[in-house]
Amino acid sequence: MIKPLNVLIVDDEEKAQVLLKILLQDIYPDTHQIYLAGSVTDAIKIIKSNPIDLTLLDIEMPEHSGLDLLNLLPKAYHNFDIIFTTAYSEYAIQAFKINAIDYLLKPINHEALENAVNKVSEKRSTIDIQMRIQRLESFMSGNNHKISIPLAEGNFFLNLNEIIYCHADRMYTEIFTVCDGKFLISRPLKYILDLLPEKHSFFRSHRSYLINTSHIKMYNKADGGSIKMSNGDIVSISRDNKSELAKRLGV
């Protein structure tokens, strides 16, 4: 049983507001107050005038995204928890999980809402919510994309910009990173290629190598060509890929 909360529901669809309110009243009949807002602008007005413990915040709305709320709201009012409500794709859901942001996937049901609210109520900490949302914004804009690396003990989430290069040997791939050393996964190089976003800095210099061009330290054109990476390793480049790499590097 959680303590009574003041809850703000922010959604541009009135039906979604009403549904969430009904679900909340059914699950938590002792909820102090439930406020409704159809936009981020309306939500800010309510937050400034009323004590809010929890905000159920839609992401995709006209005028301002739900992600804009804390950027537009003075920090003096950053004293409530947030659960995002979203109809986004699995890619975006991964972003929420990686950045420890609580979310509900539409259409929202009774059990999912109860679990999410109980989880937030148990931790009740907004100290780092601004930082987590900034990371989420960065992730979803493609500036800080992470991929999931399958390891024996579980999945490791790795920033793409921390990968120096990957070296494949048949069905295994070694991933060399800036901060976390080397990973060996039982996946072919194609597994990594398929995880990359549309716009990225990676280049397949050889059938066995995938390099992050932002980590190239030196490109040696002599003796068939080779690449020195930021960790000092020398990486091969195939004859067919030399001209394309030179073009990308502007040399």
Side-chain angles (χ1 to χ4, degrees):
M1 181 70 181
I2 68 168
K3 70 173 186 177
L5 302 172
N6 289 327
V7 181
L8 170 61
I9 298 171
V10 187
D11 199 304
D12 63 304
E13 295 183 7
E14 187 175 348
K15 288 183 179 179
Q17 292 180 18
V18 173
L19 173 61
L20 275 173
K21 183 175 182 179
I22 291 172
L23 288 174
L24 276 171
Q25 289 173 329
D26 183 40
I27 301 169
Y28 308 106
D30 294 329
T31 298
H32 280 320
Q33 183 71 44
I34 299 176
Y35 301 90
L36 303 179
S39 68
V40 168
T41 301
D42 291 341
I44 290 173
K45 293 177 182 177
I46 292 173
I47 293 168
K48 286 183 175 181
S49 303
N50 303 276
I52 302 296
D53 299 304
L54 172 65
T55 298
L56 297 173
L57 181 60
D58 187 26
I59 291 182
E60 203 166 33
M61 294 184 288
E63 186 183 359
H64 294 294
S65 161
L67 293 171
D68 295 327
L69 177 61
L70 291 188
N71 292 328
L72 297 172
L73 184 68
K75 288 189 177 182
Y77 297 95
H78 292 189
N79 52 6
F80 55 89
D81 283 301
I82 293 176
I83 297 175
F84 283 106
T85 60
T86 176
Y88 273 5
S89 67
E90 183 59 34
Y91 167 76
I93 296 306
Q94 184 189 21
F96 285 95
K97 291 178 180 177
I98 289 172
N99 292 288
I101 300 288
D102 293 293
Y103 70 93
L104 287 165
L105 183 61
K106 293 181 177 182
I108 297 166
N109 61 46
H110 188 286
E111 182 181 2
L113 178 61
E114 184 173 10
N115 289 339
V117 174
N118 286 346
K119 179 182 173 184
V120 167
S121 179
E122 286 170 5
K123 62 184 183 184
R124 282 297 294 145
S125 174
T126 59
I127 295 173
D128 64 342
I129 187 68
Q130 179 91 54
M131 179 184 68
R132 285 186 285 142
I133 290 178
Q134 287 175 349
R135 289 205 308 262
L136 177 66
E137 289 177 310
S138 179
F139 185 108
M140 294 176 69
S141 67
N143 295 330
N144 195 30
H145 190 89
K146 291 186 180 182
I147 60 174
S148 175
I149 303 298
L151 304 175
E153 61 272 26
N155 284 60
F156 186 87
F157 294 104
L158 185 62
N159 276 322
L160 285 181
N161 57 16
E162 293 180 3
I163 297 176
I164 301 171
Y165 72 95
C166 302
H167 176 231
D169 184 5
R170 298 180 183 178
M171 295 302 293
Y172 291 88
T173 300
E174 290 180 304
I175 304 171
F176 296 80
T177 72
V178 175
C179 301
D180 297 297
K182 179 176 67 175
F183 296 94
L184 177 64
I185 63 172
S186 56
R187 298 286 193 281
L189 196 58
K190 187 179 183 300
Y191 174 83
I192 303 296
L193 287 165
D194 289 343
L195 292 176
L196 297 177
E198 185 177 348
K199 294 181 180 180
H200 57 80
S201 59
F202 286 81
F203 180 78
R204 194 164 186 175
S205 64
H206 186 277
R207 66 180 181 180
S208 300
Y209 287 96
L210 177 68
I211 64 173
N212 187 342
T213 56
S214 62
H215 282 287
I216 292 177
K217 192 170 184 179
M218 181 178 180
Y219 173 42
N220 184 3
K221 298 179 182 179
D223 299 325
S226 63
I227 305 160
K228 186 175 183 180
M229 305 303 294
S230 59
N231 65 347
D233 289 354
I234 304 299
V235 174
S236 300
I237 179 169
S238 67
R239 182 180 301 175
D240 293 340
N241 293 335
K242 285 178 65 176
S243 59
E244 178 62 25
L245 179 61
K247 183 179 178 181
R248 289 188 62 164
L249 297 177
V251 295

